[in-house]
């Protein structure tokens, strides 16, 4: 089970403490509530880092112990960030099962429990756990970025059209097409510290992108700040895009004027 601890300490940039996870008694209480025994990998996750928001709930949400659910012999332990689907496993074979909100049946995922937990830890850091983020959308920059990460970084995730490279507590990641090249969504940079972000930000054609940060609560509906870009001097379209995608985030708005074309993964083209 060293993989969870080593991965967590790498991503957090520090040693784990007892306060990062649940206690053995809390695990036993949850198992008694469910009437089921947790697989060792899932138990170890909760014991080691179950209370660390960056790893456990900054995007996909590992359910707190008192919210764990059962469905027959399955333990439901993870919810997609918009509750579109749930993931479950069992004590018997540690198969990962997924169930979509509009589908009554469970479907198996072609990945084991330990690999799935590690994947989700990395993805949570990439999608919100790390404070500093950037994106490269210029396809001409992709070859240089990919050549760099393939030589210098470790590929830690390749699953379900997602690739993540890691270097210490820094991630470069993208969604890939059938030929393993990045999709039009771009190549993303996620860093835990501003110092590392500045270093990699300046190496390639990244630009500062939306911040999704549990600590500072930026760029999520109902929170304080929102960052938006003015696309090719079209302030009307940019503000319209902002109002559609983030309608309840309007306590304060910071507008950045940019000459480069910007897109959004939800709509791709703003006009």
């Amino acid at each position: 089970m060293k993989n969870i601890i080593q991965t967590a300490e790498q991503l957090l940039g520090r040693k784990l403490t007892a306060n990062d996870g649940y206690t053995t008694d809390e695990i036993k209480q949850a198992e008694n509530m469910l009437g089921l025994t947790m697989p060792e990998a899932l138990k170890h996750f909760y014991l080691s880092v179950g209370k660390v928001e960056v790893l456990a709930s900054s995007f996909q949400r590992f359910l707190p112990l008192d919210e764990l659910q059962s469905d027959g012999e399955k333990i439901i332990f993870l919810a997609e960030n918009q509750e579109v689907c749930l993931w479950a496993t069992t004590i018997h074979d540690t198969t990962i099962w997924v169930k979509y909100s509009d589908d009554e049946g469970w479907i198996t995922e072609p990945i084991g429990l330990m690999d799935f937990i590690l994947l989700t830890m990395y993805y949570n850091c990439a999608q919100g756990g790390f404070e500093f983020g950037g994106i490269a959308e210029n396809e001409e920059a992709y070859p240089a970025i990919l050549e760099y990460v393939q030589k210098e970084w470790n590929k830690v995730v390749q699953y379900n059209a997602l690739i993540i490279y890691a270097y210490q507590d820094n991630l470069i990641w993208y969604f890939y097409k059938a030929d393993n090249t990045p999709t039009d969504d771009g190549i993303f940079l996620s860093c835990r510290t501003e110092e590392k972000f500045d270093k990699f930000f300046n190496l390639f054609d990244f630009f500062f992108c939306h911040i999704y940060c549990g600590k500072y609560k930026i760029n999520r509906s109902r929170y304080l700040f929102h960052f938006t870009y003015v696309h090719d001097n079209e302030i009307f379209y940019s503000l319209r895009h902002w109002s559609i995608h983030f309608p309840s985030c309007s306590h304060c708005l910071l507008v950045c004027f940019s000459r480069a074309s910007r897109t959004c993964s939800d709509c791709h083209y703003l006009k």
Side-chain angles (χ1 to χ4, degrees):
M1 299 302 176
K2 292 182 179 179
N3 283 340
I4 288 177
I5 294 176
Q6 290 173 347
T7 300
E9 291 181 343
Q10 171 193 328
L11 291 170
L12 296 174
R14 63 172 175 83
K15 293 291 185 180
L16 295 178
T17 71
N19 294 329
D20 291 323
Y22 292 89
T23 65
T24 302
D25 288 342
E26 288 173 316
I27 296 286
K28 290 180 179 178
Q29 184 178 353
E31 290 179 326
N32 291 336
M33 177 188 69
L34 293 168
L36 297 168
T37 302
M38 284 190 198
E40 285 301 312
L42 185 60
K43 185 182 300 185
H44 195 67
F45 173 85
Y46 280 106
L47 285 170
S48 302
V49 296
K51 294 183 179 180
V52 181
E53 180 183 357
V54 169
L55 304 175
S57 59
S58 56
F59 191 65
Q60 317 290 42
R61 190 171 74 96
F62 283 89
L63 301 180
L65 290 182
D66 60 358
E67 293 183 26
L68 292 175
Q69 305 170 39
S70 62
D71 187 349
E73 294 188 337
K74 297 179 180 66
I75 297 175
I76 302 171
F77 67 93
L78 185 71
E80 193 266 345
N81 69 305
Q82 295 179 345
E83 304 290 338
V84 171
C85 59
L86 299 169
W87 286 275
T89 190
T90 72
I91 184 61
H92 302 297
D93 55 11
T94 64
T95 298
I96 294 296
W97 301 81
V98 61
K99 182 177 183 179
Y100 294 92
S101 56
D102 58 351
D103 187 353
E104 296 182 359
W106 289 96
I107 304 169
T108 58
E109 294 258 25
I111 187 172
L113 176 60
M114 175 60 79
D115 288 339
F116 184 75
I117 290 173
L118 295 175
L119 179 157
T120 307
M121 290 167 61
Y122 280 113
Y123 194 45
N124 276 354
C125 290
Q127 280 278 29
F130 284 169
E131 180 181 346
F132 302 96
I135 178 174
E137 287 184 321
N138 180 5
E139 294 187 9
E140 294 180 358
Y142 291 179
I145 297 173
L146 296 178
E147 181 181 5
Y148 170 74
V149 297
Q150 288 165 4
K151 288 181 178 179
E152 305 291 336
W153 296 40
N154 295 318
K155 183 189 289 185
V156 293
V157 170
Q158 182 167 359
Y159 180 74
N160 197 22
L162 170 67
I163 287 179
I164 301 178
Y165 288 91
Y167 176 74
Q168 298 173 351
D169 50 354
N170 310 281
L171 305 172
I172 287 179
W173 55 282
Y174 56 90
F175 300 102
Y176 63 88
K177 298 178 286 190
D179 60 358
N180 285 349
T181 59
T183 66
D184 294 339
D185 291 321
I187 297 178
F188 298 87
L189 169 67
S190 302
C191 300
R192 186 180 63 85
T193 67
E194 185 176 7
E195 178 184 4
K196 293 292 181 63
F197 175 78
D198 288 342
K199 172 184 176 181
F200 298 120
F201 181 87
N202 292 323
L203 274 178
F204 299 105
D205 188 19
F206 287 105
F207 69 83
F208 187 66
C209 70
H210 299 314
I211 298 177
Y212 295 88
C213 177
K215 180 178 180 182
Y216 293 103
K217 307 298 185 185
I218 296 175
N219 197 21
R220 287 191 176 180
S221 58
R222 81 180 179 274
Y223 296 140
L224 178 62
F225 284 108
H226 181 78
F227 291 80
T228 192
Y229 281 93
V230 172
H231 302 262
D232 298 327
N233 295 321
E234 294 286 358
I235 191 168
F236 171 78
Y237 289 107
S238 297
L239 294 179
R240 178 177 179 271
H241 170 75
W242 161 72
S243 66
I244 291 172
H245 288 273
F246 306 96
S248 58
C249 181
S250 55
H251 294 289
C252 183
L253 176 66
L254 175 64
V255 179
C256 297
F257 290 85
S258 175
R259 296 173 63 184
S261 175
R262 300 276 83 88
T263 63
C264 171
S265 58
D266 292 330
C267 59
H268 293 289
Y269 296 101
L270 297 179
K271 296 185 181 181

